[in-house]
Amino acid sequence: RKKYKIPKNKTFVLCVGRIHKSKGFDQVINIAKFFPDVQFIIMGVKDSYLKEIEKLVSKNKNVMLLLDKDDKEKYEALAAADIFIVPSHYEAFGIVVIEAFSQKCAVIASDQGGLTWVIEKAGLIFKDNNTEDLKNKLSMLVKNKKLRLELQNKGYKRVKNFTWEKITK
C-alpha cells in the first residue's frame, strides 16, 4: 500500500494477468468510475491488448496499470489487496485464484472455465460480460467488510485443498 500510495482506509482491488483481450480487464476498468473511493490496480505482462487497456486506464483516476512486475511484487500486491478480481472470459483452471486465496484476498471471478470450481463457495461469481453483475458483486464487498473478511477466511481455508500431494492424487 505504501509503495502505491494507497491509504489504509481505502479499499484496494487488484487484477493480475497478461494484458490480453481474453482476460477481461476492460470489464473492471469500465466499472471503476462507480467506485471513486476504491483504488484499482491492473498488474500484468504486456500483450496484444496493451494499447486498448492503456486508453481505458487513462480515463480513470482510480485505476493504475503496472506492467512486467516480478513474482515478489505480485505477491506483495496480493498481500496488500482487499479484493482480487478475475474477469477472464476463459480460464482453464485459474491458479491466480489460488494465489489470491493464499494471501487472504476476497475473490470475485467470472463464471468461465474452471474458475467456479476453484472458488466453490469461497468467493463471488459474476456472469461474464455482465458489468452490472460485476458492479453489484464488487459493491457488496466494498460496502460489507464483514462479508469481505468472511470470504478472505474461506478462501484461505480453501487454498489448503490445493497441495501438490492432493493435486497429484
Side-chain angles (χ1 to χ4, degrees), residues 52-113:
E52 290 86 342
I53 291 297
E54 286 175 329
K55 191 175 184 179
L56 287 172
V57 167
S58 72
K59 296 175 186 174
N60 290 277
K61 292 178 180 159
N62 62 332
V63 181
M64 189 183 314
L65 180 63
L66 301 174
L67 300 170
D68 299 330
K69 301 298 179 182
D70 61 22
D71 281 345
K72 181 179 184 283
E73 191 161 346
K74 176 178 77 171
Y75 282 109
E76 287 171 350
L78 282 164
D82 299 300
I83 301 167
F84 186 75
I85 301 178
V86 187
S88 288
H89 301 302
Y90 179 76
E91 286 290 334
F93 179 77
I95 197 155
V96 292
V97 172
I98 304 296
E99 293 172 327
F101 281 166
S102 76
Q103 300 303 310
K104 288 195 168 183
C105 287
V107 174
I108 302 172
S110 71
D111 61 355
Q112 297 302 298

Side-chain angles (χ1 to χ4, degrees), residues 6 9-12 32-40 62 142:
I6 303 169
N9 63 343
K10 193 170 199 174
T11 305
F12 170 15
K33 64 185 171 212
F34 298 104
F35 301 92
D37 296 328
V38 172
Q39 178 62 57
F40 293 82
N62 62 332
V142 168

Side-chain angles (χ1 to χ4, degrees), residues 138-169:
L138 181 56
S139 183
M140 287 170 59
L141 290 183
V142 168
K143 291 178 181 175
N144 188 338
K145 189 172 183 177
K146 185 179 176 187
L147 175 62
R148 192 167 67 228
L149 291 172
E150 182 184 317
L151 291 178
Q152 288 169 345
N153 289 324
K154 282 183 176 182
Y156 191 68
K157 287 178 186 170
R158 176 119 176 92
V159 79
K160 293 174 177 144
N161 292 320
F162 297 96
T163 64
W164 281 117
E165 183 181 308
K166 288 181 180 180
I167 291 169
T168 56
K169 282 182 183 177

Side-chain angles (χ1 to χ4, degrees), residues 105-124:
C105 287
V107 174
I108 302 172
S110 71
D111 61 355
Q112 297 302 298
L115 293 170
T116 55
W117 178 81
V118 174
I119 288 174
E120 204 169 70
K121 294 177 183 167
L124 300 178

